């Protein structure tokens, strides 16, 4: 179980690094992105491990990747400036 948690933490760290490298202009600070990736992966691993049991390592890592990517997507800011149209007078 330790290696499963360690693997999911490394997976979350790699996803955080990839997201920050690719979308650094749309994300907040690097430590926040990396910690969110790791925390999301650990939580996803915990949920899938609780649901499926201890024999399913690959699905647990897949669940860790999904929850980590979902939590990282919550940090994204809009790409461009929001244009507000004025109400007609």
């Amino acid at each position: 179980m330790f290696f499963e948690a360690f693997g999911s933490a490394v997976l979350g760290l790699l996803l955080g690094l990839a997201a920050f490298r690719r979308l650094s202009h749309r994300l907040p600070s690097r430590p926040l992105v990396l910690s969110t990736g790791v925390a999301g992966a650990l939580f996803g691993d915990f949920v899938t491990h609780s649901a499926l049991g201890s024999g399913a390592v690959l699905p647990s890592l897949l669940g860790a990747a999904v929850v980590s990517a979902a939590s990282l997507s919550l940090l994204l800011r809009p790409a461009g400036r929001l244009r507000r149209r004025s109400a007609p007078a």
Side-chain angles (χ1 to χ4, degrees):
M1 181 156 167
F2 172 74
F3 291 113
E4 184 179 340
F6 182 72
S8 65
V10 169
L11 181 65
L13 184 65
L14 291 175
L15 282 172
L17 279 171
F20 191 78
R21 188 171 205 190
R22 177 94 171 131
L23 300 167
S24 63
H25 61 284
R26 293 182 57 193
L27 288 169
S29 67
R30 185 177 180 167
L32 179 65
V33 172
L34 296 180
S35 62
T36 301
V38 171
L42 287 173
F43 182 69
D45 182 46
F46 171 71
V47 169
T48 53
H49 182 83
S50 298
L52 300 177
S54 62
V57 175
L58 192 61
S60 290
L61 291 178
L62 181 65
V66 168
V67 174
S68 177
S71 59
L72 285 170
S73 73
L74 294 174
L75 295 176
L76 286 174
R77 291 180 274 188
R81 240 186 125 117
L82 295 176
R83 294 184 184 149
R84 296 182 187 213
R85 301 177 103 190
S86 61

